[in-house]
Amino acid sequence: MIKKLTKDADYAVYQGRIIFRDGTTILGFTNSSVTLKFRGKSLSAVFTTGHNDTVNEPGLRIYIDGKAEKELVIKSAEYNEKPQQTVIASFGEEGEHEVRIVKITEAAMSYVGISDIETDGELLPVTKKEGRKKALFIGDSITCGYGVLGEPESEYTLRDEDGELSYAAVMARKMDWEAEWVSVSGFGMFVEYTGNPENIVPKIFAYQNWFYDKEMLTDYSEFVPDYIILNLGTNDSGPMTNDKNIRLGYLARYESFLYTLRMAYPDAAIICTLGTLAPGYYKYVDQVLQKVKKDGFENIYGLELPEHDVKNDGMASGHPSKITHEKDADRIISFMKNEGII
């Protein structure tokens, strides 16, 4: 039995800003996923991707019956030139099993297309877990989990990125939240890390996956978060250090983006945080928060995170280590509890 993946298929549950195109499900943003259930001995799928160089090949993690069992790197030549069925799960005896495919790398570098789901048995309806709180994580490379698997000074490669080890993913697991990511390495609120104003998260936020389709806007009603954790400013911090215009632009763009979020999600609690790789720059976030609160903005909070402790907790590819991500997750959760948000 071979079936296409469609938006309304009862044998699939999706998470993240996914694009459905001609029977193919496009996973882009960090930790976007599809969950399938089947009765049989095996399950396979056809995977495709873009024409990526080696360091930008996307990664998947496969969960079988709730346990992480394997990882796949989707290589352009191998998966595009001769698309074929790739076995995801295989058993010696027939039975009912649940498979979850998670894209652990980010949208900006590459995507993964999934199509032609095949089983020797039958696909079964998947029941989505209802009643969970929803969290939207907006950020840069830290929120993507970039570098978390790398050595302290590793050179760039997407192989060192694992979104499921990011502070955001740790928070979602601990709180049993349904979560969605809009995060991009190198991008900022007003400029990217080089000072380029074209590569910023507010620019791509309104799109389902701007890196795959620069025309398709997102439908905010499809995922309505209870909480928004906004962590942007690390990449702006360098360029704004000696440029007053960039500092002023950051303040103005941050304010306007908060109103974009409030328009899209009027009831969400917004938690604005910064500091892990940008010590001393949270003060600009606080300036914006004080202004919007004075103007009547409600249900918004600010939290300054400490700079990562390289000596005691290590560093990964110049980024926060796994230990730091776990500590930041606990810090944000504790803050939200203390403020009565959760």
Side-chain angles (χ1 to χ4, degrees), residues 19 50 86 91 143 178 183 209 215:
I19 291 178
T86 298
F91 302 90
T143 305
E178 181 181 346
S183 54
N209 179 353
E215 301 294 331

Side-chain angles (χ1 to χ4, degrees), residues 153-172:
E153 301 290 348
S154 294
E155 294 185 5
Y156 169 78
T157 172
L158 214 57
R159 301 283 67 73
D160 290 339
E161 183 170 285
D162 189 337
E164 291 201 308
L165 296 180
S166 71
Y167 73 91
V170 175
M171 290 177 66

